[in-house]
C-alpha cells in the first residue's frame, strides 16, 4: 500500500525544507513534536513531544535512508513504544521530495512499504492531509492552521 500526496506551495524549497527538518518547524506542523536527528544516512531519528509519556514521548522513530538538503528526505519509521507493544515490528517508509517550480515548490510525500496489517496506516492516511496542509500554510503565511483540539 502506498499513500502519495503532491502539494504545490508558494515558497522556495529552502523554506519548505526548514519547516520539514528544523525543531521549530516540526513542532509547528507535527502536533508539538520535534524531529531530532543528526541527519546522516543510516543514523536514527525521533519525533518527540507531548503525549502519553509526558513531554518527551517518542511518537515515531526510525532510520534516515536518504538526506539531500533542500531536495529529499527518506526514512524508515516505526510508531513509538507507547502506541503498540510490537512497535519495532511495525514499519513503513516516508519520502519527502522537493522540486523547485519557478517561485514555488512541489512537495511530494510517499508513505509506503507498510508492514502487513500495520494498525497505524488509517491514522496516517487521515493525518497526512492535516500535516501537509499545515506545511503549505506555514510556508506561505508564516502561520499554522488552527485545527482545534
Amino acid at each position: 500500500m502506498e499513500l502519495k500526496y503532491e502539494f504545490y506551495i508558494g515558497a522556495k524549497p529552502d523554506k519548505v525544507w526548514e519547516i520539514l527538518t528544523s525543531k521549530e518547524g516540526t513542532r509547528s506542523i507535527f502536533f508539538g513534536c520535534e524531529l531530532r536527528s543528526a541527519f546522516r544516512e543510516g543514523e536514527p531519528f525521533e519525533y518527540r513531544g507531548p503525549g502519553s509519556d509526558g513531554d518527551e514521548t517518542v511518537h515515531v522513530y526510525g532510520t534516515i535512508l536518504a538526506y539531500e538538503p533542500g531536495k529529499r528526505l527518506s526514512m524508515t519509521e516505526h510508531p513509538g513504544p507507547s502506541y503498540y507493544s510490537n512497535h519495532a515490528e511495525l514499519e513503513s517508509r516516508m519520502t519527502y521530495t522537493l522540486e523547485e517550480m519557478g517561485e514555488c515548490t512541489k512537495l511530494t510525500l510517499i508513505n509506503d512499504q507498510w508492514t502487513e496489517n500495520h494498525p497505524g496506516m488509517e491514522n496516517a492516511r487521515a493525518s497526512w492531509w492535516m500535516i501537509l496542509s499545515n506545511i503549505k500554510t506555514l510556508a506561505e503565511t508564516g502561520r499554522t492552521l488552527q485545527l482545534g483540539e
Side-chain angles (χ1 to χ4, degrees):
M1 177 57 141
E2 174 183 278
L3 303 176
K4 182 177 181 180
Y5 307 89
E6 294 177 336
F7 271 65
Y8 293 85
I9 301 170
K12 292 286 200 173
D14 59 338
K15 187 168 192 173
V16 178
W17 185 259
E18 179 71 16
I19 292 168
L20 287 173
T21 59
S22 72
K23 288 182 179 181
E24 181 180 280
T26 56
R27 258 194 320 269
S28 297
I29 60 167
F30 281 108
F31 314 105
C33 294
E34 292 180 355
L35 174 56
R36 298 181 186 177
S37 177
F39 294 112
R40 289 187 294 272
E41 292 177 15
E43 293 288 321
F45 78 90
E46 295 178 330
Y47 282 98
R48 281 186 177 254
S52 59
D53 297 331
D55 287 345
E56 290 292 312
T57 299
V58 176
H59 292 276
V60 175
Y61 70 95
T63 304
I64 302 287
L65 299 173
Y67 183 78
E68 300 171 50
K71 294 182 180 174
R72 186 166 176 255
L73 176 60
S74 185
M75 309 176 275
T76 60
E77 66 90 17
H78 306 273
S82 62
Y83 291 99
Y84 306 103
S85 59
N86 64 337
H87 59 91
E89 300 166 15
L90 303 172
E91 184 175 282
S92 73
R93 179 179 65 177
M94 301 181 297
T95 302
Y96 298 96
T97 305
L98 305 180
E99 297 174 60
E100 188 168 353
M101 301 185 77
E103 294 295 314
C104 299
T105 301
K106 178 183 178 186
L107 168 61
T108 303
L109 168 70
I110 298 175
N111 192 187
D112 63 357
Q113 296 185 1
W114 291 87
T115 305
E116 190 173 343
N117 297 316
H118 193 305
M121 187 167 25
E122 287 308 312
N123 185 53
R125 185 188 314 269
S127 297
W128 278 127
W129 289 110
M130 288 187 291
I131 292 166
L132 294 166
S133 295
N134 231 352
I135 293 169
K136 178 175 172 54
T137 301
L138 182 58
E140 292 176 347
T141 70
R143 294 176 291 128
T144 55
L145 297 169
Q146 301 305 309
L147 296 168
E149 296 298 315

